[in-house]
Amino acid sequence: VLKAFATLLKIFATVLKIFATVLKAFATLLKIFATVLKVFATLLKIFATVLKVFATLLKIFATVLKIFATVLKTFATVPKVSATVLKMFPTVLKILLNKMKIRK
């Protein structure tokens, strides 16, 4: 009976060792999982920063486009102004000639 009890205790001790090994392996897996989560969180922060930089660049680009559009509108009005000045040119010449005639 004692031998059987001793054998049962050995088997129980072996089972406990196996259980301890499984627990250690599980703890190691949890540590690895925690590390992976930390890396993932860091990558998300980096991605968020990249998105913020991209958004800022888009705002700058939009501002540059608005400035460019304003410059183009200004250039579009130049021919109109030039045409108006050219239309007025003969009238201005006549006025100048009349003033010159009057002075003579």
Side-chain angles (χ1 to χ4, degrees):
V1 172
L2 284 177
K3 285 184 180 180
F5 188 67
T7 306
L8 282 175
L9 282 178
K10 287 180 183 176
I11 292 171
F12 186 68
T14 305
V15 168
L16 282 179
K17 286 179 185 175
I18 292 171
F19 187 68
T21 305
V22 169
L23 283 179
K24 285 179 185 175
F26 187 68
T28 305
L29 286 176
L30 282 178
K31 287 179 185 175
I32 292 170
F33 186 67
T35 305
V36 169
L37 282 179
K38 287 178 185 175
V39 170
F40 187 68
T42 305
L43 288 176
L44 281 178
K45 288 178 184 174
I46 292 170
F47 186 66
T49 305
V50 168
L51 282 180
K52 287 178 186 176
V53 170
F54 187 67
T56 305
L57 288 175
L58 280 179
K59 288 178 185 176
I60 292 170
F61 186 66
T63 305
V64 169
L65 281 180
K66 287 178 185 175
I67 293 169
F68 187 66
T70 305
V71 169
L72 283 179
K73 286 178 185 174
T74 304
F75 277 120
T77 57
V78 168
K80 293 177 186 174
V81 172
S82 297
T84 306
V85 170
L86 284 176
K87 286 179 186 173
M88 293 169 55
F89 191 67
T91 308
V92 172
L93 274 181
K94 285 179 188 174
I95 293 169
L96 287 175
L97 286 174
N98 286 337
K99 286 189 176 190
M100 286 175 74
K101 287 180 186 176
I102 293 172
R103 287 188 185 167
K104 286 185 182 180

